[in-house]
Structures are given as C-alpha cells and as structure tokens.
Amino acid sequence: MRPLITFALTAVLTITFASCNKQQELINQEARWFTSSTGDYACDILSDSVDIDRLFPKEYLVDPEGDLMDLCSPSTSTKQCVLYKGDNSEAIKIADYYNALIIFTNLYSDNETAGRFGEDDETVYAAVADSIAALDCSIIRNTELRQIVRRIQNAIKSYVLYMPKKSYDNVDQATQALFTFLRRETDSIMENTRDEYISYNERMPYTNNFDSIVALRGTSDKAYQQELLTKLFLSQNPAERHMYAIEFAHSDSTNAHFLIGAAVLNREFVETRQYSPYLSEMWRTWRASMSTLMGASSWSYIPNSLYNAKRRQVAEIIIKHIEAYPNDILAQGVLIDLAGIDNISRHGSYFGNASILEQMTMFPEWDKSKRIAK
C-alpha cells in the first residue's frame, strides 16, 4: 500500500511542479511580449528592457519644429473623439459628454499654443485659427450640446485670430454654457458613484489597509515588484490586474524609472481591452509616466495628441462596457472622470508646463523623495 501512496504523491508533485513551471513560463512570455529580449522581465526588472517603440511611436518623439498642425485640433474628431455608431441610448449620451469635453480641452490647448508660439511669429494666430475652424463637431449627436461646443469653437477661433486685441468674454460665456449643460446631466451620476469610486481608489475591494500599499510605493523593492507582476499576470479579474499595474507603476517611481510602469499600464488598458473602474486612474498614471520624456518648459513639445489618442482607446473600452451594461452608473462616472482630465497645459505651473505638476500629482512619493533629498 505504501508504494502506491508514494507513487501517487510523486505523481501529484510532478504535476504540480509542471503546472508551476507552465504558469511561470506564461508569466515570462507575457512579460516579454511588451519588453525587448534583453532580459527576463519576470525575474529581473531592468529599465533598459522596455521596448520604447511600443510605448511611444517614433513620430511623437520628434519636435515638429514649427509645424503646429501636430499640436492643434483637426485630429480631434478622427483620432481623439469616440465614434460610437450603435443605438444604445446610454452609450450615445455618455459618448456625447466625452466628446464634448475632449473637444473643449483641445480647443483650450489651441488657445495656449497660439499664445505661446504667436509671441515670436504673428502668422501663428491665423494658422491656429484655421486649424480650429477645420474641426468637425458633428460627431456630437445631441443637438443642444453640439451647438454649445460650436459656439466655443467659434469664440476661441475669433479670439485666437485677433489675439491679443480681442476680449476673452465670449469664450468665457460659451464655456459656462457647456459646463452648465454637463453639470445638469452628469452631477447625479458623479454624486451617486462617489463612494464606490473612492472605495476603488483606496483599493477597498482588495485590501483593508491602503496605507500599507502606499508605504511600499517608490521603495524599489525587487521582491515586491516581482510579487506585483506575478499577481498581475495570473489574475483573471480585470480590476485586480489594473490595480496591480498601477501599483507596479508606483513601485520604482522615486528612481524615475517611469517607463517600465508605463509599459505595464500600456499593455493592460490597451492590449487586453477590459473594463474596470481603474481605467481613468490608469490612463492618467500612464500619461504622467510618459511625460517624463518631454521637457518641462512652456516652449517644450507637448504631445497631447498622443495622450488623447490613447485616452480615446480607453474611452472606447468603457463605452463598450456601458453598451453591454447600461445600468452600470459607476462606469459612466469613470468615463466622465476620464474626459474631464485637462490636457498637459503650457502654463500649468511655476516650473513651466504642467507635466511636472502632473507627475507630482500622480506620483506623490516621487515628489516627497525629491523634497527630502533637498
């Protein structure tokens, strides 16, 4: 009887060992999928193993050197707005809110672009005004909302064309009409989802001690990073995976190795294309990571077109989820939150553009380490 038990135990251990090896190989394969071949990412986290081309297409790494079209609005409707063609009323409504806010943030950025670059070359004003005029707002299906956004478009175009001789009052009035409309439509959504949103932000569905997670941010602890990656790759729950991806982005942030975290986030919210309440936080964390590649001056190249193209991909995931689950009010709140995040502005802080401020906002542990170092 004993040999039979021994044989059975040996078989179980063999199967278990083989299963663990298979799981580890799946982890390694998945890790290598978004990194280069210069190291086994699942076993040793190396900053030079990130495949930058997957993160940041080469055309976005080149300063346009005077070609303002890369910084202006015409690409908004085709690359940055959500084109929802379905007939689900909730999805149509929420897509309209998203598109209206994205168009507005890009028009505001156009105004900043004209103000900054027009200081040295007055022909910039007309070029940016032409770009604004080319923007197609017809992607917004709601007639009232579309007309409001068009008024903002015309007001900013007129202001830019005659900058700095024109009053900004017309822009302020048109903008106020937009916010009045959106508050009327979305305040109840945000209010009804606030507690649940806070719960996810504090990781309550997965831990009862958020402070313990925060304490490990920026520690550069390789064992902890390995644990996060392993849990991420093995989890079948999208929200749990996304939580681990966000925390991984925080794990080495004090050493400014942001692009490793950006690679993980990029893969999770674009390649897996699964909804979770963490998508807005993920995108903003990713953008803060990517902006470390750019300068912090108000003259620096700020690729909001890239950031918003990625934001659109995230928004499409959320809207697809809302189409399938129209009663998921939290998902609507996540999309409104995503749409309401401002572009990286040129005049966003005392340091120059808003990228540094955004990095400090999303990675407070990084900011804290810099202040301690001083």
Side-chain angles (χ1 to χ4, degrees), residues 358-370:
E358 187 71 356
Q359 289 156 25
M360 291 178 176
T361 298
M362 299 312 295
F363 295 99
E365 69 277 5
W366 174 73
D367 178 33
K368 181 180 178 181
S369 72
K370 297 300 180 186

Side-chain angles (χ1 to χ4, degrees), residues 308-321:
N308 288 334
K310 192 73 71 176
R311 174 158 39 180
R312 174 187 57 80
Q313 292 177 306
V314 178
E316 288 174 343
I317 297 170
I318 301 172
I319 290 174
K320 184 177 179 181
H321 174 84

Side-chain angles (χ1 to χ4, degrees), residues 59 211 267 275 287 319:
E59 61 265 28
D211 288 343
R267 183 219 172 274
Y275 166 77
R287 186 181 68 171
I319 290 174

